[in-house]
Amino acid sequence: MNKPVPGHVLNHPAAFAPYQDNQRLRLDPGAEARAHQAGARVGISQAHESAVLHVSGSATYTDDIPELAGTLHCALGLAPVAAGRLLGMDLDTVRAMPGVVRVFTAADIPGANDWGSIVHDDPILCDGEIRYLGQPVFAVVARTREQARRAAALARQALRVEAAPPVLTPREAHARGQYVVPPMHLVRSSSGLDEAGIRARIAAAPHRLQGSLDVGGQEQFYLEGQISYAIPKEGNAIHVHCSTQHPSEMQHLVAHALGVHAHAVQVECRRMGGGFGGKESQSALFACMASVAARLLARPVKLRVDRDDDFLITGRRHCFWYEYDVGYDDAGRILGAAVTMVSRAGHSADLSAPVMTRALCHFDNAYWLPEVAMHGFCGKTNTQSNTAFRGFGGPQGAIAIEYILDGIARALGHDPLAVRRANFYGRGERNVTPYLQTVRDNVIHELVDQLEERSGYQARRTAVAAFNATSPVLKRGLALTPVKFGISFNVKHFNQAGALVHVYTDGSILVNHGGTEMGQGLNTKVAQVVAHELGVAFERVRVTATDTSKVANTSATAASTGTDLNGKAAQDAARQIRARLAACAAARHGGSAEDVRFANDQVWVGGRQLAFDALVGEAYLDRVQLWSDGFYATPGLSWDKERMQGHPFYYFAYGAACSEVVVDTLTGEWKLLRADVLHDVGRSLNPAVDIGQVEGAFIQGMGWLTMEELVWHPTSGLLLTHAPSTYKIPTANDCPPEFNVQLFEGENAEDSIHRSKAVGEPPLLLPFSVFFAIRDAVAAAGARRKLPPLQAPATSEAILRAITAVQAP
Ligand code: MTE
Ligand code: HPA
Ligand code: MOS
């Protein structure tokens, strides 16, 4: 075994402290048990509906579906250069490979050669222009997956290309004025200034901070890669099993590619092995290609992408580059801010425009900005087309203001928490966002007060300073950062959902809704809502695969709205059935329908008690409709895209985290010693699932900001980090030894499903506290009031660069 190195960060006593599990889940099992006994099916830590299937290996993912006889396998031949023109293809050698059945090129696609979700600029197969290294150019269909992959790997020899120099970085794209969508501008002044006036206000402020920041992208790294299995059906129809967050969009794009109507395409998804935004739009390329091959060969075709190819073909979180200029007062209050954000959109638009919109609408995070001038540019580059990733631009917007506030505090010599507080949105005043939505549900003050207290922030601030005063090599850092995250799609019409609830004559219940399950527990929560409404045991309710032939015209399961939308739609369906059952019960047993009570699988009516099953049997005999649809549309939303203003969010979710790190200033290695989280999920539908989401998002966001680094070769444009060997995501070992995650006591001010709040994305912003704790430790290694130019991800190299900068004379 290696000898311990004196002073090494991993020798820190806390580095190997036992994992304090009891500290982690601050649930109240007593209260939950009492609620359950009283008939509640929401607000309790119901195990995930697939937990047993997951851990026993019997959950069916797309690749586990038994293959039909005659199934063929597809693999993609990828462009070997990042830019240029396709001059020709010598596909005979590819066709001659063992097992190859057919090779398809763009010319074979019967309908549109396009899988673009908003702008139609995403060819399924290369149409002559080479847009990035890894772009699919041809598709091989063979008897086995292995044979298809071996043949597709001949792309480099088979493709004749004329290479051009690629544009790879957002800086280069911006310098050339090369964007995938027009630039966006959000300029807002609480005192009627124009942009020149705002810039003058900044210049005239008592203090000014100017700078730039780079924040890297992030691979979704869903454990189950992209996959589609397309089965041709009679009369030109097709059935596609697809790992996707957006079955309806897959349906439309497959219909487009095949040149058929939507009613000829059925898309089904039982579950994904993670999506994290990576399957919101980008599952389409694979769904379309598998469907085209299946149609043209009249055989079932499966397309399961290898991990390296998944990295090379699909996009991920946008990296951002910012330039900022802010003016502030002696208390650190921002008087005016100007920021330019440039993202790396990749070769096509995909979701880059709504991602930038969300970034601009989250630059405020929890802070009131009286004067702002924001400009967002989606740089067009010869790289994979970047897309949704948990937070959808929100994290990229909010980290910029946190970097600025951290810098202001350091420049003034104040505690960063005090500066953050001084800028918080007020209540009743100082509460209008740059996009003109008034923040009415602000709980950030009490939430941060509680976390400051529970985490012992002030005492630990003193302890960290004392530690650093006597520790020349190891430096500790501490940070407490807030989160405010807007919930709803900012495209108004996406905020709708449908559901179907069937009650069978044996009293068992089947639910289908438009949302998709990616591990987040959506089906569990929706089943809880239905069980609660009908007063039955959770086990009675089964949720089936998302299927475009059951609920039509669904939105992506995204923007954290899955439960808000589909929970409400399922509740609507269940309520209609309950009302019919109550009417039937009252007609048979007396009393009024309004007084019929459903709980614990029993029904109380006209002074009698009968089993739920018995009433269902009676209702069937009375010819009562025992199934119903349900629908929901979020009220009160508006968005003016041109003026960048309106009421895009139904409500806000809040949270805060306090993190403490130790950094080895000689090696740049660091360790998260402790994290305390207080997160607002309103009145939780399922505390265990919610805490799981908060913990997962925290660690995932920490990976983004500290260790996950994407590197493209500077001249060829090859993504060098295209496998787990070179791209490091966090593991269980990276969890802090002390990880206290608690849910904030409160309820949604809006009439959301049981007054809960969305939880999927907002906690991804909590580990800002880790990044700023590292920056705090780096600052402690340099001269007072020097601003560490730490960039994200804060890898050991980035940390060492920042240390070198603050130690420079
Ligand atoms: N949790 C798991 N386990 N797997 C996932 O893929 N995706 C996240 C989040 N939590 C994800 C997850 C993202 S990006 C979103 S938008 C939400 O879940 C979507 O689901 P919801 O709206 O039902 O919360
Ligand atoms: N999140 C996810 N997907 C989206 C959004 C969003 O805010 N807006 C449009 N598509
Ligand atoms: Mo989540 S990034 O909205 O799929």
Side-chain angles (χ1 to χ4, degrees):
M1 226 184 96
N2 289 337
K3 280 243 173 69
V5 183
H8 191 278
V9 65
L10 293 179
N11 292 335
H12 193 277
F16 289 108
Y19 192 62
Q20 296 170 11
D21 202 45
N22 56 337
Q23 285 274 330
R24 195 168 56 106
L25 290 180
R26 292 277 176 81
L27 304 174
D28 185 346
E32 287 191 28
R34 287 190 296 278
H36 187 266
Q37 220 155 26
R41 296 295 174 263
V42 294
I44 53 180
S45 293
Q46 177 64 51
H48 193 288
E49 45 78 36
S50 290
V52 173
L53 302 180
H54 289 156
V55 298
S56 62
S58 41
T60 307
Y61 295 87
T62 300
D63 202 35
D64 301 319
I65 297 169
E67 283 172 16
L68 293 168
T71 293
L72 299 172
H73 298 265
C74 185
L76 299 168
L78 310 182
V81 298
R85 293 215 55 83
L86 180 64
L87 301 177
M89 297 182 252
D90 307 316
L91 295 173
D92 288 344
T93 46
V94 179
R95 288 191 192 99
M97 287 291 284
V100 172
V101 176
R102 272 276 272 283
V103 179
F104 295 108
T105 64
D108 296 309
I109 296 169
N113 177 22
D114 167 60
W115 65 270
S117 51
I118 304 172
V119 181
H120 298 291
D121 60 349
D122 269 297
I124 299 167
L125 294 175
C126 179
D127 56 7
E129 181 200 354
I130 297 178
R131 294 151 161 260
Y132 68 106
L133 199 161
Q135 180 184 357
V137 179
F138 61 88
V140 181
V141 179
R143 280 197 291 278
T144 69
R145 182 168 175 268
E146 183 67 23
Q147 289 170 332
R149 288 188 61 211
R150 282 188 188 284
L154 295 180
R156 182 170 281 279
Q157 295 95 296
L159 302 179
R160 277 182 289 117
V161 300
E162 181 185 84
V167 172
L168 298 174
T169 65
R171 274 181 177 76
E172 280 172 81
H174 193 46
R176 290 163 174 251
Q178 187 176 301
Y179 311 113
V180 293
V181 290
M184 298 178 197
H185 309 283
L186 206 179
V187 179
R188 207 74 72 196
S189 164
S190 60
S191 52
L193 300 173
D194 61 4
E195 174 146 12
I198 294 171
R199 294 208 177 250
R201 175 82 43 104
I202 293 169
H207 308 275
R208 188 170 182 180
L209 182 69
Q210 289 168 290
S212 71
L213 171 68
D214 275 290
V215 173
Q218 185 181 22
E219 167 62 33
Q220 286 90 1
F221 221 113
Y222 24 64
L223 292 184
E224 177 210 33
Q226 301 275 3
I227 179 168
S228 272
Y229 182 33
I231 302 163
K233 296 281 176 179
E234 64 177 26
N236 274 341
I238 196 147
H239 183 181
V240 189
H241 295 276
C242 178
S243 183
T244 181
Q245 294 171 239
H246 203 343
S248 283
E249 186 165 279
M250 299 308 107
Q251 177 192 23
H252 295 140
L253 293 169
V254 166
H256 226 62
L258 296 181
V260 299
H261 286 296
H263 66 194
V265 182
Q266 179 188 0
V267 177
E268 185 177 340
C269 178
R270 169 60 185 94
R271 60 170 67 75
M272 282 159 275
F276 304 111
K279 296 169 182 171
E280 180 172 341
S281 62
Q282 303 221 348
S283 41
L285 165 58
F286 312 100
C288 289
M289 195 58 241
S291 299
V292 165
R295 154 81 334 100
L296 296 178
L297 292 167
R299 299 268 292 270
V301 173
K302 190 190 276 189
L303 175 41
R304 170 160 74 84
V305 193
D306 178 75
R307 178 69 61 182
D308 295 73
D309 288 349
D310 200 319
F311 263 88
L312 288 174
I313 297 169
T314 69
R316 46 193 66 79
R317 184 188 297 287
H318 297 69
C319 71
F320 269 59
W321 161 52
Y322 315 81
E323 280 185 332
Y324 54 85
D325 186 1
V326 296
Y328 58 97
D329 67 13
D330 293 338
R333 247 189 302 245
I334 291 179
L335 304 175
V339 63
T340 295
M341 308 187 188
V342 187
S343 69
R344 179 181 351 229
H347 69 89
S348 70
D350 188 84
L351 300 170
S352 296
V355 165
M356 183 56 80
T357 302
R358 188 170 277 273
L360 296 173
C361 291
H362 281 74
F363 176 67
D364 60 333
N365 194 18
Y367 311 106
W368 182 61
L369 302 172
E371 316 287 338
V372 280
M374 295 186 255
H375 305 282
F377 301 88
C378 302
K380 182 173 181 174
T381 52
N382 294 109
T383 53
Q384 297 78 9
S385 190
N386 283 332
T387 189
F389 190 143
R390 207 171 193 170
F392 202 79
Q396 291 99 314
I399 192 141
I401 194 72
E402 293 297 342
Y403 200 79
I404 290 166
L405 288 171
D406 191 75
I408 290 175
R410 295 190 186 285
L412 289 172
H414 292 178
D415 185 326
L417 180 57
V419 170
R420 290 190 161 100
R421 268 209 180 96
N423 284 285
F424 278 168
Y425 275 112
R427 277 206 278 221
E429 44 143 29
R430 296 162 51 96
N431 62 351
V432 179
T433 62
Y435 46 91
L436 297 182
Q437 174 163 347
T438 301
V439 182
R440 297 196 191 284
D441 57 8
N442 190 354
V443 295
I444 202 63
H445 298 264
E446 51 268 50
L447 193 150
V448 165
D449 288 351
Q450 286 179 27
L451 183 69
E452 181 186 25
E453 176 75 29
R454 288 181 202 184
S455 64
Y457 177 84
Q458 295 303 343
R460 286 166 65 203
R461 171 61 67 208
T462 310
V464 163
F467 176 92
N468 289 341
T470 60
S471 174
V473 172
L474 294 184
K475 294 289 183 190
R476 289 211 215 170
L478 182 70
L480 195 160
T481 56
V483 176
K484 168 180 136 288
F485 195 91
I487 302 299
S488 295
F489 290 96
N490 48 16
V491 178
K492 180 177 165 180
H493 66 264
F494 289 168
N495 297 286
Q496 57 173 310
L500 281 175
V501 175
H502 296 349
V503 178
Y504 293 103
T505 51
D506 67 352
S508 66
I509 299 161
L510 195 75
V511 179
N512 194 274
H513 59 82
T516 55
E517 176 66 40
M518 56 196 99
Q520 84 278 39
L522 171 60
N523 284 353
T524 310
K525 288 180 172 178
V526 172
Q528 284 181 270
V529 166
V530 170
H532 187 83
E533 223 50 57
L534 294 174
V536 298
F538 176 84
E539 291 70 25
R540 252 178 215 270
V541 185
R542 179 184 276 262
V543 184
T544 54
T546 316
D547 185 333
T548 55
S549 70
K550 289 192 173 156
V551 176
N553 312 329
T554 58
S555 296
T557 307
S560 307
T561 60
T563 303
D564 283 19
L565 299 175
N566 297 286
K568 275 279 192 185
Q571 182 185 50
D572 177 40
R575 280 188 172 163
Q576 294 182 50
I577 298 170
R578 191 185 61 185
R580 289 183 210 135
L581 283 171
C584 165
R588 276 186 174 244
H589 305 287
S592 79
E594 295 82 67
D595 296 335
V596 179
R597 215 166 68 75
F598 296 77
N600 291 328
D601 297 297
Q602 302 292 311
V603 181
W604 286 267
V605 50
R608 293 189 48 197
Q609 177 182 346
L610 71 161
F612 179 79
D613 305 3
L615 175 58
V616 166
E618 291 176 356
Y620 173 71
L621 295 179
D622 287 355
R623 299 190 292 177
V624 171
Q625 184 186 342
L626 285 172
W627 56 273
S628 176
D629 62 345
F631 185 75
Y632 178 72
T634 314
L637 301 178
S638 66
W639 182 243
D640 181 335
K641 198 170 131 190
E642 304 315 317
R643 304 163 99 162
M644 297 280 287
Q645 68 184 57
H647 193 101
F649 305 122
Y650 189 31
Y651 60 87
F652 297 96
Y654 299 85
C658 176
S659 294
E660 182 174 349
V661 301
V662 58
V663 171
D664 183 331
T665 58
L666 295 180
T667 65
E669 288 166 284
W670 63 280
K671 184 90 194 168
L672 177 58
L673 301 174
R674 172 174 167 185
D676 293 80
V677 169
L678 189 56
H679 193 79
D680 163 35
V681 296
R683 204 186 279 160
S684 176
L685 286 169
N686 186 324
V689 163
D690 286 346
I691 285 176
Q693 284 289 297
V694 174
E695 290 182 340
F698 185 97
I699 298 298
Q700 191 168 44
M702 182 179 85
W704 167 47
L705 292 173
T706 62
M707 57 185 86
E708 299 182 37
E709 189 172 30
L710 294 157
V711 180
W712 282 267
H713 188 280
T715 52
S716 77
L718 171 67
L719 176 62
L720 297 168
T721 52
H722 57 75
S725 52
T726 45
Y727 186 81
K728 178 73 179 78
I729 61 170
T731 65
N733 274 333
D734 298 300
C735 288
E738 203 176 337
F739 196 10
N740 303 312
V741 175
Q742 289 181 280
L743 301 178
F744 179 70
E745 293 276 336
E747 61 169 36
N748 198 331
E750 300 296 338
D751 180 24
S752 62
I753 184 75
H754 294 286
R755 299 269 169 187
S756 66
K757 286 191 181 184
V759 68
E761 297 169 288
L764 190 119
L765 288 73
L766 295 168
F768 284 10
S769 56
V770 178
F771 180 82
F772 290 105
I774 293 174
R775 198 178 191 216
D776 193 43
V778 169
R784 194 170 140 80
R785 299 205 186 178
K786 273 214 171 180
L787 271 54
L790 186 67
Q791 313 293 300
T795 57
S796 295
E797 293 91 330
I799 290 171
L800 283 179
R801 276 194 292 272
I803 290 172
T804 308
V806 290
Q807 288 179 342

